Amino acid sequence: MECFLPFTQLHRSEVKTPTTPIFGHSLIMWFYLVTLVGLYYLLRWYRERQVVSHLHDKYVFITGCDSGFGNLLARQLDRRGMRVLAACLTEKGAEELKSKTSDRLETVILDVTNTDSISAATQWVKEHVGDKGLWGLVNNAGVFQAFAYIEWCRPEDCMSIFQVNLIGLAQVTLSMLFLVKKARGRIVNVSSVLGRVALFGGFYSCSKYGVEAFSDVLRREIRDFGVKVSIIEPGSFKTRMTDAELSIEKTKKTWEATPEHIRESYGQQFFDDFCNTTRRELKKCSTNLSLVTDCMEHALTSKYPRTRYSAGWDARLFFIPLSYLPTSLVDCLLAISRRKPAQAV
């Protein structure tokens, strides 16, 4: 009977095959995914290219303008025609900055660890901005004591770092916040990739984690007033804080002041290896500081600034991906890359 004929004798047209293979479905899915991602980045690119109007009428106050990022940003915004109010720690730093900028730029001496100094600077800014308010506040001032393990440091080292990097930043912000609210402006806080992943840096990393938290809370609390808060997370850049020889000198002084029983637990060979590694890595720091200041400028001038800016190839390709890995895996990778202390178990 026909129904018992072998399968091979059936007509080929009677054999049903899938009209669209599984590979085709996957290809279509990936096409839509790539298209959506491309459209997202195209839309973000378009939004971020839109610039706020009347930049030449807007005042920006920047801390830590003696050198480094703050100094370069002050000159960069001045060239763009904005009204820069630059805070320097020393008279020498202020004079050098003014010699390189236009008459629009004004300087003031500010010690972010001194409450009276902050109050005086706030009054000075208020007199300059008048009814316009302060469009931009850039908290750039910061310090780095020494590259060292936390156990090698003294309590006073901890306090001095927190006083500048976190407490001073918060006090300046709270003191000038009413002026920023009046202008519905921007607050830009300089953190670090070490505020994302605390691989080293001791109390410096701790202070930058504080900056991240302070900025997040502030952004969510004052968004209804039209104020935007951005965080800058630079990678490794060559500034006074990362000068290789100066940093190693500070590290050696910290080590020499460490109690003997702690030094014995790590061993001299461990310390020497730590110094060599630190020196080698510091010499790799980028000299292109504009990668950071361009992020700051965008946060101040774009209609749609980002919440966080990562500056530098190491920030984008190493620290940011590392921050999404499981903590146990990061700890394991770090342990493999380091020499063990003399008395390690």
Side-chain angles (χ1 to χ4, degrees):
M1 295 179 65
E2 185 176 348
C3 61
F4 293 105
L5 290 175
F7 177 76
T8 55
Q9 296 183 17
L10 294 177
H11 195 278
R12 288 187 178 184
S13 63
E14 297 176 8
V15 180
K16 296 183 178 180
T17 58
T19 56
T20 306
I22 296 176
F23 176 76
H25 285 299
S26 300
L27 191 62
I28 292 173
M29 180 188 69
W30 279 107
F31 172 77
Y32 283 126
L33 180 61
V34 171
T35 301
L36 287 173
V37 172
L39 288 174
Y40 165 77
Y41 279 103
L42 181 62
L43 177 61
R44 191 177 78 163
W45 173 83
Y46 173 74
R47 280 168 56 89
E48 291 184 347
R49 283 179 60 87
Q50 299 183 48
V51 179
V52 297
S53 59
H54 306 295
L55 286 177
H56 63 280
D57 289 330
K58 299 187 183 302
Y59 287 88
V60 178
F61 182 77
I62 311 169
T63 66
C65 291
D66 296 77
S67 62
F69 302 136
N71 185 279
L72 179 58
L73 178 64
R75 290 184 280 122
Q76 191 168 318
L77 296 182
D78 179 64
R79 288 195 299 269
R80 189 156 185 178
M82 299 186 74
R83 298 182 177 275
V84 179
L85 305 175
C88 298
L89 182 61
T90 65
E91 290 285 357
K92 180 181 178 181
E95 291 174 2
E96 290 179 353
L97 177 59
K98 283 193 69 69
S99 67
K100 300 176 182 178
T101 55
S102 71
D103 295 336
R104 286 189 308 272
L105 185 141
E106 299 284 347
T107 60
V108 65
I109 303 303
L110 172 64
D111 179 358
V112 299
T113 67
N114 187 301
T115 304
D116 292 336
S117 181
I118 294 174
S119 298
T122 301
Q123 182 61 34
W124 180 81
V125 171
K126 182 181 178 181
E127 293 172 357
H128 276 74
V129 302
D131 294 333
K132 292 182 179 180
L134 181 62
W135 171 255
L137 168 60
V138 182
N139 286 303
N140 167 74
V143 294
F144 195 114
Q145 292 296 90
F147 285 92
Y149 275 41
I150 286 180
E151 195 176 11
W152 306 350
C153 300
R154 301 169 298 175
E156 52 265 37
D157 296 332
C158 161
M159 293 306 299
S160 61
I161 291 176
F162 275 97
Q163 191 65 44
V164 176
N165 294 358
L166 179 58
I167 299 174
L169 179 148
Q171 288 182 328
V172 170
T173 301
L174 295 177
S175 181
M176 298 192 182
L177 186 55
F178 75 101
L179 295 172
V180 182
K181 287 169 64 177
K182 180 179 290 187
R184 296 182 180 179
R186 310 288 172 79
I187 296 175
V188 180
N189 292 332
V190 179
S191 177
S192 169
V193 287
L194 294 178
R196 232 180 221 264
V197 188
L199 295 182
F200 53 87
F203 294 119
Y204 178 83
S205 293
C206 299
S207 69
K208 293 304 182 179
Y209 264 74
V211 171
E212 297 272 344
F214 175 78
S215 302
D216 282 339
V217 172
L218 182 68
R219 183 183 65 255
R220 289 159 182 155
E221 290 181 348
I222 65 174
R223 63 179 300 173
D224 291 334
F225 295 99
V227 177
K228 294 180 173 63
V229 180
S230 296
I231 304 170
I232 311 296
E233 298 174 337
S236 303
F237 288 88
K238 192 172 184 60
T239 64
R240 287 183 181 178
M241 287 199 302
T242 56
D243 180 87
E245 298 309 319
L246 182 60
S247 296
I248 295 302
E249 183 181 340
K250 290 182 179 179
T251 300
K252 290 180 178 180
K253 289 182 179 179
T254 301
W255 175 256
E256 292 169 357
T258 301
E260 185 176 354
H261 70 278
I262 295 178
R263 283 187 280 126
E264 289 179 352
S265 68
Y266 287 90
Q268 187 63 40
Q269 190 173 8
F270 177 91
F271 175 75
D272 292 340
D273 184 72
F274 175 82
C275 287
N276 292 333
T277 302
T278 300
R279 181 184 287 107
R280 183 173 63 251
E281 294 302 317
L282 288 177
K283 289 183 177 180
K284 296 179 182 178
C285 290
S286 173
T287 58
N288 188 8
L289 303 188
S290 62
L291 293 176
V292 179
T293 57
D294 286 348
C295 291
M296 296 174 172
E297 181 179 344
H298 186 273
L300 292 166
T301 61
S302 174
K303 284 187 177 181
Y304 304 99
R306 299 181 188 179
T307 300
R308 280 177 169 80
Y309 293 83
S310 299
W313 70 266
D314 54 337
R316 292 174 177 271
L317 302 181
F318 180 72
F319 283 94
I320 301 304
L322 202 67
S323 68
Y324 290 101
L325 293 179
T327 304
S328 57
L329 178 57
V330 176
D331 292 348
C332 182
L333 293 173
L334 194 60
I336 293 174
S337 65
R338 287 177 172 174
R339 175 188 290 273
K340 287 186 175 296
Q343 298 180 8
V345 295

